[in-house]
Amino acid sequence: MNRLLFLLLIFACSAIAPAYLPAQIISSNEDRFNPDSIRRDFKNQPYFGLYKDNYFIFGPPIGQKVTKENTNIKFQISIAQRLTNATLPWGTYLYLFYSQKCFWNVLENSMPMTDLNFNPGIGLTKPLFVKNRYVGKVSLIIEHESNGRDSIWSRSWNKVSLAANIIIDPNLSVAGKIWAPIIDGMNNKDILHYCGLYQISVQAMTDNRKFTGALTLVKRAGNFFNYNTILELAWRFSRKSNQYFFLQYYNGYGEGLLDYKVFKSQLRVGIVIKPQLFSDF
């Protein structure tokens, strides 16, 4: 019960936190991509808010017998803090990022949290403008990811990542991320064959921002067709809220670090708190 209350408190704080991109606080649809407003907000506000999607979802596996062990809760907390008030060289801003993903077997005795993945990072983000129009951002990030365990259960690696989010039009955006890995975990030397080399995402939404759909493909090392696939659908409760009913389908390897070699096909539903302009994947 204490764990559940703690999680509810975190999600309540996330729901009222400002979004990662300053453009998301602009109320008028016409001003959402206004470059002067975005530059002003990047320059004037030390900003704390959402980074990736923050969600709390529950569900069973697909294609195998449903048990207490393989039906679980998956939740993610993800935030970003801008560290510089002034613009750095090349029009960039320095950010501190932190994401945490957890798998919680609530149907088992003692309700164990079986896998916790910690993902801190620091990097430079540059807003992009084309023909006096805001079109997205590009980030260069140094990341660490581990499960905080020791002995044979230890999993960890570091990455230097280059990520970009591009707005095609008000209803469609694409994202890509590629990384140079630094693998220091003794028990996950082959992690690229499961957790991948790069990823691409497409996100689409309706005019009223009520419905959102996203597809993410993570390219694993090896065969050309080796991909992890993530399909997500979200329905916003109301136009004034930042909470959505959320469905996520994961198919592939590397969903969690502890069992990164285990293939998962999992369908979960729940609640997500999303950045309003686009999500980082």
Side-chain angles (χ1 to χ4, degrees):
M1 181 61 69
N2 290 336
R3 288 177 178 175
L4 183 57
L5 291 175
F6 176 70
L7 291 172
L8 291 175
L9 177 61
I10 291 176
F11 268 77
C13 293
S14 298
I16 62 176
Y20 163 44
L21 285 179
Q24 295 165 2
I25 67 172
I26 300 172
S27 58
S28 170
N29 284 336
E30 294 181 357
D31 289 338
R32 289 178 73 248
F33 308 121
N34 182 281
D36 292 333
S37 298
I38 294 170
R39 286 192 180 100
R40 182 185 64 244
D41 289 331
F42 265 104
K43 181 178 180 180
N44 295 336
Q45 298 184 23
Y47 222 75
F48 168 82
L50 306 184
Y51 175 38
K52 302 177 183 179
D53 286 349
N54 287 246
Y55 55 76
F56 192 92
I57 52 180
F58 172 80
I62 302 298
Q64 58 179 289
K65 182 180 179 180
V66 176
T67 67
K68 294 180 180 180
E69 290 75 24
N70 61 22
T71 304
N72 58 17
I73 285 175
K74 175 184 177 183
F75 66 86
Q76 177 171 276
I77 306 296
S78 184
I79 56 176
Q81 171 69 44
R82 202 184 84 184
L83 299 178
T84 55
N85 290 328
T87 307
L88 298 177
W90 305 293
T92 62
Y93 300 85
L94 183 65
Y95 277 87
L96 182 67
F97 305 101
Y98 180 76
S99 299
Q100 181 173 318
K101 182 169 58 178
C102 179
F103 298 85
W104 188 8
N105 286 26
V106 293
L107 300 182
E108 294 187 55
N109 293 334
S110 79
M111 302 170 64
M113 291 188 176
T114 57
D115 191 12
L116 283 80
N117 299 175
F118 306 94
N119 182 204
I122 189 169
L124 297 170
T125 292
K126 176 180 174 61
L128 301 176
F129 302 92
V130 175
K131 295 182 179 179
N132 206 36
R133 178 179 173 83
Y134 177 67
V135 297
K137 63 185 177 71
V138 62
S139 300
L140 180 65
I141 308 170
I142 300 173
E143 301 181 67
H144 172 77
E145 187 174 16
S146 68
N147 64 350
R149 301 179 69 171
D150 57 9
S151 187
I152 61 173
W153 297 280
S154 175
R155 309 283 186 270
S156 67
W157 63 327
N158 302 295
K159 298 183 285 186
V160 179
S161 303
L162 180 64
N165 296 71
I166 303 298
I167 300 168
I168 305 301
D169 63 39
N171 303 103
L172 182 67
S173 63
V174 297
K177 187 176 183 180
I178 187 170
W179 47 83
I182 305 170
I183 302 171
D184 57 357
M186 294 301 296
N187 298 296
N188 52 265
K189 293 294 186 181
D190 57 353
I191 195 169
L192 296 181
H193 291 275
Y194 299 92
C195 294
L197 302 163
Y198 63 86
Q199 65 185 43
I200 53 175
S201 304
V202 178
Q203 179 176 270
M205 62 185 69
T206 57
D207 288 337
N208 61 5
R209 300 324 207 228
K210 192 81 170 179
F211 296 94
T212 302
L215 175 65
T216 301
L217 299 176
V218 182
K219 178 64 179 73
R220 305 194 303 266
N223 189 287
F224 177 79
F225 297 101
N226 287 350
Y227 284 91
N228 300 327
T229 304
I230 307 166
L231 177 64
E232 298 175 337
L233 301 174
W235 175 75
R236 189 166 61 169
F237 295 141
S238 72
R239 296 190 65 180
K240 295 182 179 180
S241 73
N242 193 27
Q243 294 100 43
Y244 296 71
F245 176 76
F246 188 54
L247 179 149
Q248 183 190 79
Y249 174 61
Y250 190 98
N251 183 271
Y253 297 89
E255 186 180 26
L257 284 180
L258 183 62
D259 296 326
Y260 71 96
K261 294 183 182 182
V262 178
F263 178 83
K264 300 288 182 67
S265 181
Q266 199 96 10
L267 181 67
R268 299 183 181 92
V269 296
I271 303 297
V272 65
I273 303 167
K274 298 179 73 67
Q276 294 178 7
L277 192 56
F278 45 61
S279 300
D280 283 87
F281 294 94

